[in-house]
Amino acid sequence: MHASSPSRPRVRFAPSPTGYLHVGGARTALFNWLFARHEGGQFILRIEDTDVERNRPDLVEGILNDLRWLGLDWDEGPYFQSARLELYQQAAQRILEAGQAYLCFCPPGRMQPERGEEDEPADEESPADERSSTVLPRCTCRQLPPEQVQQWRAAGRPAAIRFAVPPEGSTRFDDVVFGEREVAHRDLEDFVLLRSNGRPTYQLSVVVDDIAMGITHVIRGADHLSNTPKQILLYRALGATPPVFAHVPLILGPDRSRLSKRHGATSVGAYAEEGFLPEAFRNFLALLGWSPGDNTEFLRTAELIHRFTLQGVSRTNAVFDRAKLEWFNTQYFQRLPVEELLPYVEQELQRAGLWRAAWAAEQRAWFRQAVDLLRSRVRLLRDFSTWARAFFSDDFDYEEAACRRFWTDPRLPDLLAALADAFAALPAWTHESCEQALRGLAASAGVKAALLINATRVAVVGRAVAPPLFDTLVLLGQPRVVERLRRAIPAVRAAVNRAPEVMA
């Protein structure tokens, strides 16, 4: 058993590998991690994998990877409950021998067995059942005479171990978020501790592990509030002091129903694949049910750690706002030092097959300049390999809508050819020289500069919307711009032939 001290708390995040790490679980992990880091405590990772029917071992690595992507490093673990079954069996036996539990011979789904039945015993509790507030009647096995119990055991009749909730009184606890709570024992069923196959239920395994691991604070979703009285009874039955409980509000969709797949992506991995920055996602998650005490929203991780307290957690359910998450992402693209963005953009370009080794070496300054130019218009990391593709590759398409809008004037093929020649003749490739050459050509041809600016933008990056044109030209470089202008001329001529004649 670990020694714990109120001054150095120990918290845990304990996912079950029955699905991917979803937003609610990630927020719970984040709150535990922030609390541990704020208090100088320890964050323990435990995998609750005793549900053999629903577990998917392949999901464990996915959960670990999502936590790593979020930057939630753990100090101990991961511990696996499947490797600790003997501890749970021993604990259940201790409680049974102390007279605080009894053997239950009920068949599945039944609390009152027919005498002489040889069906499998009641193992009806699953994590979903255990976290509900359904009130069940007392099992009559609790009143079985000792000789009857001995007779059935001697006959090999399977039995579960069921906790004997005291018939009178109540259990009270003070939740950090929801305040003082009290549940009458008459409203608690005699819950199963150990199934007849030796597998523990959630209630038993979580308490045994939290005691053994010295957990001082249990920070989890408000849907676990109904479990807490049962678990406090188990702590006391095992001679341990219950930890501090803090139940955090649920996360709802925009329609105020529980967040689910119908509201869009809910797994952390999906948001990572979409191209959200981990720190932006952390910032957004932290504010789902927690407030720093003022209206500050942009909180870098160091500041989140500094300001996080359990007292700042709200009782009110939080609403997941996808638009707000995207806003956070754009804020981080715009505000972070550009050097911090480079590894993420590099990873995205590698994923898309666009990365060049030179951008990490002799052309690092150019790569930095490109990211710095683009980031004010980027929403997601994927943007660097999609609409901004032309900045990193010569293999790009012309946006159809941009062609229809800006490649309609029949003079454009000749104008772009002349502009390519003018650009090729420039002795210095600067913002000012490019602008003077383009505006001078427009003036001599008697057309508006905007006509040439818009057509040139589509020719060199394939899109109508991009960073300022002359900054873009300087970044791409003289040879590339000249080549792209000349390459675009046949496509411009084709677009003009498809469009009605429009004179500038």
Side-chain angles (χ1 to χ4, degrees):
M1 182 179 297
H2 295 273
S4 61
S5 166
S7 62
R8 293 183 59 81
R10 289 172 59 85
V11 298
R12 44 73 168 178
F13 177 58
S16 298
T18 56
Y20 298 100
L21 180 64
H22 55 80
V23 170
R27 197 271 312 266
T28 298
L30 175 62
F31 281 9
N32 276 279
W33 183 83
L34 287 172
F35 178 72
R37 296 295 174 257
H38 177 83
E39 299 288 341
Q42 293 176 303
F43 176 60
I44 291 91
L45 179 61
R46 185 171 76 220
I47 306 298
E48 299 191 340
D49 60 344
T50 59
D51 188 345
V52 293
E53 289 78 18
R54 298 174 62 228
N55 282 339
R56 289 177 52 189
D58 57 298
L59 292 177
V60 172
E61 192 56 37
I63 292 172
L64 300 183
N65 285 336
D66 287 346
L67 289 172
R68 293 185 187 107
W69 177 79
L70 275 171
L72 306 186
D73 55 320
W74 50 93
D75 302 300
E76 290 182 21
Y79 297 108
F80 290 83
Q81 286 191 332
S82 57
R84 301 166 61 83
L85 296 180
E86 188 176 351
L87 289 176
Y88 313 136
Q89 294 163 356
Q90 292 171 351
Q93 193 64 34
R94 281 175 52 198
I95 297 172
L96 177 67
E97 291 173 358
Q100 294 179 281
Y102 57 92
L103 294 176
C104 174
F105 298 90
C106 296
R110 295 178 63 182
M111 296 289 289
Q112 298 177 340
E114 295 291 333
R115 297 297 178 262
E117 266 188 21
E118 300 299 329
D119 295 337
E120 284 296 313
D123 288 342
E124 66 269 25
E125 292 192 14
S126 67
D129 296 326
E130 292 156 8
R131 298 171 196 186
S132 72
S133 57
T134 303
V135 177
L136 299 178
R138 294 281 184 249
C139 176
T140 56
C141 292
R142 184 168 177 168
Q143 283 78 45
L144 284 175
E147 57 272 17
Q148 180 71 78
V149 172
Q150 292 174 3
Q151 179 183 340
W152 283 354
R153 290 298 280 165
R157 184 163 182 167
I161 297 178
R162 192 181 288 274
F163 188 79
V165 176
E168 305 294 336
S170 62
T171 293
R172 299 179 184 179
F173 64 97
D174 190 17
D175 187 87
V176 174
V177 177
F178 285 87
E180 188 171 324
R181 312 281 290 188
E182 181 175 4
V183 176
H185 291 159
R186 65 176 177 273
D187 295 328
L188 297 177
E189 75 275 16
D190 286 354
F191 50 94
V192 173
L193 301 179
L194 201 69
R195 299 178 177 91
S196 61
N197 60 9
R199 291 278 172 178
T201 61
Y202 166 79
Q203 306 290 12
L204 177 66
S205 60
V206 71
V207 170
V208 170
D209 279 344
D210 284 348
I211 293 172
M213 296 176 185
I215 302 302
T216 62
H217 295 72
V218 171
I219 305 167
R220 59 188 180 184
D223 51 342
H224 283 280
L225 268 169
S226 61
N227 287 325
T228 306
K230 301 175 186 178
Q231 292 170 8
I232 289 175
L233 289 173
L234 286 180
Y235 277 104
R236 293 171 179 165
L238 291 169
T241 301
V244 175
F245 289 97
H247 289 85
V248 301
L250 303 180
I251 300 177
L252 308 180
D255 59 358
R256 303 283 171 168
S257 64
R258 185 116 183 223
L259 187 66
S260 65
K261 291 181 180 178
R262 71 175 180 275
H263 297 115
T266 61
S267 72
V268 171
Y271 292 105
E273 290 175 6
E274 280 191 64
F276 286 94
L277 294 169
E279 190 171 11
F281 200 79
R282 281 197 298 275
N283 193 162
F284 170 76
L285 274 187
L287 296 178
L288 288 180
W290 172 80
S291 169
D294 55 28
N295 294 324
T296 306
E297 290 190 304
F298 185 85
L299 293 162
R300 300 214 59 186
T301 301
E303 189 172 1
L304 280 176
I305 292 172
H306 175 70
R307 300 180 68 168
F308 186 83
T309 65
L310 293 177
Q311 287 69 31
V313 177
S314 170
R315 298 185 185 186
T316 306
N317 290 333
V319 175
F320 186 95
D321 184 346
R322 166 74 186 220
K324 190 70 172 182
L325 172 57
E326 292 187 5
W327 177 85
F328 270 105
N329 217 44
T330 60
Q331 291 298 300
Y332 273 81
F333 275 123
Q334 294 169 20
R335 297 196 196 187
L336 287 188
V338 67
E339 290 293 339
E340 293 187 32
L341 293 175
L342 299 186
Y344 297 111
V345 180
E346 177 179 341
Q347 186 178 36
E348 170 57 25
L349 295 179
Q350 287 177 340
R351 184 201 63 78
L354 301 176
W355 179 251
R356 298 181 186 179
W359 296 337
E362 66 271 16
Q363 294 181 19
R364 188 68 171 181
W366 179 90
F367 178 56
R368 183 187 187 282
Q369 185 180 356
V371 173
D372 201 27
L373 179 63
L374 291 165
R375 63 180 174 148
S376 64
R377 296 175 179 269
V378 167
R379 250 182 353 106
L380 300 166
L381 279 167
R382 287 287 175 95
D383 292 343
F384 285 98
S385 62
T386 53
W387 70 255
R389 179 186 180 92
F391 287 83
F392 304 102
S393 173
D394 293 323
D395 179 19
F396 63 92
D397 298 323
Y398 302 116
E399 188 180 49
E400 185 176 345
C403 297
R404 289 198 306 266
R405 183 178 178 187
F406 295 119
W407 284 356
T408 58
D409 194 299
R411 294 168 291 183
L412 280 174
D414 291 339
L415 285 171
L416 290 180
L419 182 62
D421 291 341
F423 278 169
L426 289 176
W429 189 251
T430 65
H431 185 289
E432 292 75 16
S433 64
C434 289
E435 184 171 8
Q436 287 175 3
L438 184 146
R439 293 189 183 278
L441 176 61
S444 64
V447 300
K448 294 180 180 179
L451 172 71
L452 206 47
I453 288 172
N454 291 326
T456 299
R457 180 182 293 110
V458 180
V460 298
V461 297
R463 298 180 57 85
V465 179
L469 176 63
F470 300 110
D471 292 337
T472 296
L473 298 181
V474 171
L475 177 71
L476 291 176
Q478 189 173 22
R480 180 175 286 180
V481 169
V482 170
E483 190 277 331
R484 289 185 181 186
L485 283 171
R486 290 172 175 162
R487 186 182 68 182
I489 291 172
V492 175
R493 187 171 287 114
V496 169
N497 291 337
R498 291 194 301 269
E501 185 172 328
V502 178
M503 298 300 291

